[in-house]
Amino acid sequence: MVLYSLLIILSIAMTILTIKLPFSKLSPWIIVIVTLMSAISIYLFSAPNAAILSVGYFWHGVIVVADIALLLYFFKEGRTYGSKRVWMLALLQLGLLLYAKSVSSSGGVDFVLNELSAFMAVVISVVGGLIVIFSLWYIDKEKIDEGRKKSFIVMLSLFLAVMFAIVIANGLFIFFLLFELTTLASYLLIAFRQDELSRTNALRALWMNQIGGVFILVAILVGNSSGVGPYFSEVISSAALLSAALIAMAALVKGAQIPFDGWLLGAMVAPTPVSAILHSATMVKIAPFVVLKLSPLLAHTIVADILIVFGSLVFVIAGIYGLAREKFKEILGYSTISLLGLMIAVAVGVGDGDPGLIYALIFFHALSKALLFLLAGILEKNHHIKEVSQMDGLIYRAPLSAMMVIVGFATITLPPFGLFFGKLFSIEMAAMNLAKSPAYLVLLIALAIGSALLVLLYFKVASSLFTKRADVEAYGRESWFNFGFFSPFIFTLVLIFSFIFLVDFGFTLSMTYVWLSLGLIVLVPLWVKLSSFKGIDRVSEYHCGEVARFEVAQWSYGLSSKLQNRIAWAGVAGFGFILLGGLL
């Protein structure tokens, strides 16, 4: 536990250095700190040793005071900006917190370090740390003063410290505080640009995530009524299914599962590193992490069946939503929600079995989405590109960024990359459990449909990269030696050789298959780029003076607002079924 505490200390040290040093001198220090954090977390995961820690009554009092102060801040923000939902939920949480604390016992284990928490530390330090490094380049291009640039890095650094703490939290009151601190981070970072749209979306993220906090507090009260202490370990050992169901519902809110997907999509107005670190790579992973933590209790229960069906349906529906979007970051956001649904379904299906499958899904999704979001930031800053329609000819004007985009989507959908094999072995896991529950049949069907939708999503973006405009004679080339590419380069290299990590996770792979797949992924884009196709280059349609504007669509993936509302209400019903399952 002492070694693990260094991760939190290093995050705080990064915060202090950011405050003290000039912004221009931060990059080497932050690179060193991220390297140290990554090395420590990888060591802890490779040689897992269980450790526990309990804090005294004084610190429990500090935690309660911090909870109250945070909820009062939420109340103030709701009143200041006229958000009735925010301040009413803050008051509700405050009342539940004070009552729960007055009736709950204490004296259990507050923090637990095990293989799962060490694994999550690897995701947080490696993926989150590289995003912080990228943020130095990104935020330096914002037209703001140095103080605000440094405050942005400070918030990201403190967020890492909170994430390191939340994955070892065993006490539910501590978990509640850390859960709401991640909500605070979302709120502040989404509102960072301080315009009306950012503030509106930040308030939506705030009240939606507060609902998750309410679920946690109700779980504590339900457990207390049955003599179960406010600790994850006691909830699991006492088979407190209703409490576990409520905590899982809180995790689904944090994972932006339908009908709470709106807060994550609204977060896309924030600076791109926010989308990367909070809403694809790190914070939303709380959802599958918590479900996996509770899976020894949830497995083979009606709550597990409902969660499997719920996650499977989100996997498909969010993929359809993504196909209907044109903004690059929104496409990435919905594909994140989609794959989180799959991770939740697989996590609860793992139970007390080998967690290697869900580890692969979480880790490689974090890498792929972090890479793609960072590339979205590069395209935004260097080429002023935010929509897929603006990416025509990207392979000619920004070949490095275009190839990395191709790699990023390929690692989500194609072999021999980790996420593909994660989905492949998910099919095997679902097939093996068909006799246990019909929910696994739903998962199997969803895996087939959802995976096909993600492939379509990949080609929707990738196909535009090779379109060459006839009215452009020469494309300017991007610089290949740019600090902004530091983190994307590392993500790309790790993803390309992800099969090595899969072998470490215990998967059996054919190296011939691996190298053939890699070769095809490299050769096909080169062939498309270099081939003249019988002397006719690929060009956009153009006219010689005629005015003829028209659009043709073979298929529309857009859903009507009425149908989307029905899906949202179906999502609400899904949460109701999870609660009902906990009662049965």
Side-chain angles (χ1 to χ4, degrees):
M1 190 65 79
V2 173
L3 186 59
Y4 189 90
S5 66
L6 285 176
L7 297 173
I8 300 174
I9 292 170
L10 286 169
S11 299
I12 296 171
M14 187 157 56
T15 301
I16 295 170
L17 284 172
T18 302
I19 295 171
K20 296 292 185 182
L21 294 177
F23 187 84
S24 59
K25 297 184 182 297
L26 283 176
S27 55
W29 290 99
I30 290 183
I31 290 172
V32 169
I33 291 174
V34 168
T35 303
L36 287 173
M37 289 194 303
S38 301
I40 291 170
S41 60
I42 291 170
Y43 171 76
L44 288 170
F45 180 61
S46 62
N49 288 306
I52 60 174
L53 174 68
S54 295
V55 298
Y57 289 106
F58 171 78
W59 287 109
H60 278 285
V62 170
I63 289 165
V64 172
V65 170
D67 275 327
I68 294 171
L70 182 58
L71 294 175
L72 289 175
Y73 174 76
F74 289 165
F75 175 79
K76 179 189 77 71
E77 292 294 285
R79 296 291 292 177
T80 301
Y81 296 105
S83 177
K84 188 175 181 180
R85 290 172 176 172
V86 169
W87 68 259
M88 289 186 68
L89 281 166
L91 284 180
L92 175 60
Q93 285 179 296
L94 186 58
L96 289 171
L97 172 67
L98 294 175
Y99 179 65
K101 193 62 184 175
S102 68
V103 299
S104 296
S105 61
S106 59
V109 176
D110 294 307
F111 296 98
V112 173
L113 173 63
N114 53 23
E115 182 187 78
L116 175 58
S117 52
F119 164 74
M120 290 301 297
V122 173
V123 177
I124 296 162
S125 57
V126 174
V127 181
L130 284 170
I131 293 170
V132 173
I133 292 172
F134 173 83
S135 299
L136 293 169
W137 173 85
Y138 182 95
I139 206 66
D140 194 39
K141 291 184 172 292
E142 290 277 311
K143 295 179 181 179
I144 54 177
D145 60 42
E146 181 166 316
R148 293 201 65 218
K149 291 176 183 178
K150 292 171 75 170
S151 69
F152 184 75
I153 304 300
V154 164
M155 284 189 283
L156 293 181
S157 303
L158 289 175
F159 169 74
L160 292 185
V162 172
M163 285 301 303
F164 283 130
I166 200 171
V167 297
I168 59 171
N170 184 56
L172 289 177
F173 283 108
I174 296 173
F175 180 75
F176 171 76
L177 172 62
L178 296 169
F179 185 95
E180 291 296 57
L181 283 173
T182 63
T183 298
L184 174 65
S186 293
Y187 172 68
L188 295 176
L189 287 166
I190 295 169
F192 182 78
R193 289 193 167 123
Q194 299 179 344
D195 53 49
E196 185 177 353
L197 179 60
S198 296
R199 180 66 60 184
T200 299
N201 290 352
L203 288 168
R204 183 195 299 129
L206 182 52
W207 72 259
M208 282 191 174
N209 280 281
Q210 282 179 285
I211 293 173
V214 170
F215 289 148
I216 295 170
L217 292 172
V218 174
I220 294 172
L221 289 171
V222 168
N224 180 75
S225 67
S226 304
V228 179
Y231 299 92
F232 274 102
S233 55
E234 291 197 28
V235 169
I236 295 170
S237 63
S238 302
L241 187 59
L242 180 55
S243 292
L246 285 161
I247 297 169
M249 289 162 63
L252 296 184
V253 174
K254 190 64 72 176
Q257 298 296 281
I258 295 171
F260 297 100
D261 52 308
W263 78 259
L264 188 142
L265 267 293
M268 299 305 164
V269 301
T272 300
V274 174
S275 302
I277 199 169
L278 298 184
H279 309 120
S280 71
T282 307
M283 189 183 76
V284 292
K285 294 300 186 298
I286 290 174
F289 161 73
V290 169
V291 172
L292 184 61
K293 191 170 186 173
L294 295 170
S295 62
L297 167 58
L298 296 176
H300 312 306
T301 65
I302 189 170
V303 174
D305 291 343
I306 296 168
L307 284 170
I308 291 170
V309 172
F310 186 96
S312 300
L313 294 176
V314 170
F315 180 47
V316 174
I317 293 168
I320 296 172
Y321 281 176
L323 281 170
R325 298 285 173 159
E326 286 300 322
K327 290 186 183 298
F328 188 37
K329 285 170 65 175
E330 290 185 355
I331 289 173
L332 298 180
Y334 267 121
S335 64
T336 294
I337 296 169
S338 172
L339 284 164
L340 282 170
L342 174 62
M343 288 180 225
I344 289 164
V346 173
V348 75
V350 167
D352 55 0
D354 183 5
L357 174 57
I358 190 63
Y359 286 174
L361 286 172
I362 291 174
F363 183 65
F364 293 117
H365 174 263
L367 290 173
S368 297
K369 282 303 172 60
L371 170 62
L372 287 166
F373 268 109
L374 298 195
L375 290 170
I378 290 172
L379 294 177
E380 175 192 340
K381 292 299 183 185
N382 288 351
H383 307 283
H384 310 292
I385 291 174
K386 291 186 177 182
E387 298 190 7
V388 174
S389 59
Q390 298 171 319
M391 297 173 73
D392 286 354
L394 192 65
I395 196 72
Y396 303 98
R397 50 191 164 130
L400 180 60
S401 296
M403 287 303 296
M404 284 186 173
V405 169
I406 291 170
V407 169
F409 275 103
T411 56
I412 293 174
T413 55
L414 301 175
F417 303 110
L419 204 53
F420 172 84
F421 282 110
K423 288 183 284 187
L424 183 65
F425 288 108
S426 296
I427 294 173
E428 180 182 2
M429 183 273 291
M432 290 174 62
N433 287 282
L434 276 176
K436 297 178 180 178
S437 169
Y440 289 98
L441 177 60
V442 177
L443 177 57
L444 268 177
I445 296 170
L447 275 163
I449 299 173
S451 298
L453 289 171
L454 287 179
V455 172
L456 285 174
L457 202 60
Y458 162 60
F459 281 108
K460 175 180 178 176
V461 177
S463 60
S464 67
L465 304 180
F466 297 96
T467 302
K468 188 173 183 180
R469 294 179 60 87
D471 55 349
V472 178
E473 294 183 1
Y475 287 95
R477 296 300 179 89
E478 66 182 344
S479 170
W480 285 42
F481 300 97
N482 187 311
F483 182 63
F485 281 108
F486 177 84
S487 296
F489 268 132
I490 296 176
F491 283 133
T492 302
L493 287 174
V494 174
L495 284 165
I496 288 174
F497 295 101
S498 60
F499 60 87
I500 296 173
F501 299 94
L502 284 170
V503 173
D504 287 338
F505 281 142
F507 295 102
T508 303
L509 304 178
S510 165
M511 288 300 102
T512 302
Y513 178 75
V514 166
W515 291 116
L516 281 174
S517 299
L518 282 173
L520 286 172
I521 289 170
V522 172
L523 290 175
V524 168
L526 287 175
W527 172 69
V528 173
K529 182 179 185 299
L530 298 175
S531 174
S532 61
F533 289 97
K534 299 181 180 180
I536 302 174
D537 209 347
R538 290 148 332 274
V539 299
S540 298
E541 296 84 354
Y542 67 98
H543 304 280
C544 297
E546 306 96 321
V547 177
R549 188 183 298 270
F550 62 92
E551 294 183 0
V552 176
Q554 289 181 307
W555 185 265
S556 173
Y557 293 94
L559 302 179
S560 67
S561 58
K562 186 176 181 180
L563 181 55
Q564 291 184 53
N565 286 335
R566 288 179 177 175
I567 291 172
W569 280 110
V572 173
F575 274 75
F577 282 122
I578 294 169
L579 184 62
L580 181 61
L583 288 167
L584 296 177

